Amino acid sequence: MKLTKKTVLNVLLILFVVSFFVTPLGHYGKVLLNRLFSFSPSIIEETAREQIADYDWKLKDDEWNFFSFEKSRGKVVLINFWASWKLPSEAELASIQKLYDRYKGQMDFYIITNEERPPVEEFMQKHEFTFPVTYLIIGEKAPFDILEPPASYLLDKKGNIVIKKEGISDWDTAEVQKLLDELIQE
């Protein structure tokens, strides 16, 4: 039996596609595809921005200690809901890490999960993420809707919702950096 170039290319293509389902290459390929098709989040027009009612929201830090969202009153705040087992969350967190590296100390970051600590700590270590993890307390009232991960809010210093994004976004863009620079300078 003689193999033609077309047959060999078809077999290679089929093997490549199958590898996305049965090998670690598939996982990393899917993460890469999610990153490629994520875009900068849309900014809400100033006249359409809603202001959060209050900052009365109890959360847990990465040491499992309770704290209040009140500590972020008067600051620019990025809130991201994520889950370690959701592939789009994993893809989005790399851009949030870059944003955190650039803006830590200038604004507050709430990278929120409702998972238990062990899988979260393992996930953070595996991906070398250093942003602070915040744990959601199920049933605790929040100043806005708790969205299905991945999802995010960006608040200005007055508590106005500047960005509300359901789904994956690329947070490491010139547009987002320009917006954050403006919000931090206000």
Side-chain angles (χ1 to χ4, degrees):
M1 180 172 131
K2 186 176 178 185
L3 293 177
T4 65
K5 274 187 173 180
K6 185 177 179 180
T7 304
V8 171
L9 288 175
N10 283 338
V11 168
L12 289 174
L13 179 62
I14 290 169
L15 289 173
F16 180 73
V17 170
V18 168
S19 73
F20 268 77
F21 297 101
V22 296
T23 68
L25 171 66
H27 175 79
Y28 296 113
K30 291 178 214 169
V31 169
L32 178 63
L33 286 173
N34 270 273
R35 286 184 186 149
L36 287 175
F37 292 105
S38 66
F39 304 100
S40 189
S42 300
I43 300 167
I44 299 170
E45 300 255 351
E46 278 193 58
T47 56
R49 293 178 185 171
E50 297 177 31
Q51 188 173 36
I52 62 172
D54 63 44
Y55 284 75
D56 185 23
W57 188 21
K58 192 187 311 180
L59 298 158
K60 289 182 183 177
D61 65 17
D62 58 349
E63 297 296 322
W64 218 244
N65 297 313
F66 291 101
F67 71 94
S68 173
F69 185 61
E70 182 69 39
K71 74 178 195 164
S72 291
R73 184 182 295 272
K75 297 179 182 178
V76 176
V77 181
L78 175 69
I79 300 155
N80 176 268
F81 297 102
W82 68 283
S84 65
W85 52 271
K86 282 199 162 187
L87 194 115
S89 287
E90 180 180 339
E92 181 178 48
L93 290 175
S95 69
I96 290 175
Q97 178 65 53
K98 290 177 184 173
L99 203 66
Y100 175 73
D101 291 342
R102 184 173 287 115
Y103 290 100
K104 65 182 168 192
Q106 299 176 57
M107 60 182 281
D108 286 352
F109 289 83
Y110 290 83
I111 316 303
I112 300 174
T113 185
N114 64 0
E115 297 176 71
E116 294 294 322
R117 283 177 70 188
V120 169
E121 289 171 349
E122 180 182 329
F123 178 86
M124 294 290 289
Q125 185 175 10
K126 176 182 175 186
H127 296 286
E128 299 179 352
F129 292 140
T130 61
F131 50 75
V133 175
T134 304
Y135 293 91
L136 183 66
I137 302 169
I138 304 297
E140 182 70 26
K141 75 174 188 154
F144 39 71
D145 294 332
I146 304 297
L147 303 172
E148 184 71 26
S152 302
Y153 288 99
L154 179 66
L155 307 177
D156 67 12
K157 291 179 179 181
K158 297 174 187 165
N160 295 310
I161 299 173
V162 179
I163 293 174
K164 177 182 178 182
K165 174 63 175 160
E166 296 184 58
I168 186 173
S169 285
D170 181 0
W171 290 94
D172 188 37
T173 66
E175 182 182 10
V176 170
Q177 291 171 24
K178 181 179 183 261
L179 173 65
L180 287 176
D181 291 339
E182 291 170 3
L183 293 176
I184 289 168
Q185 293 304 313
E186 287 182 352

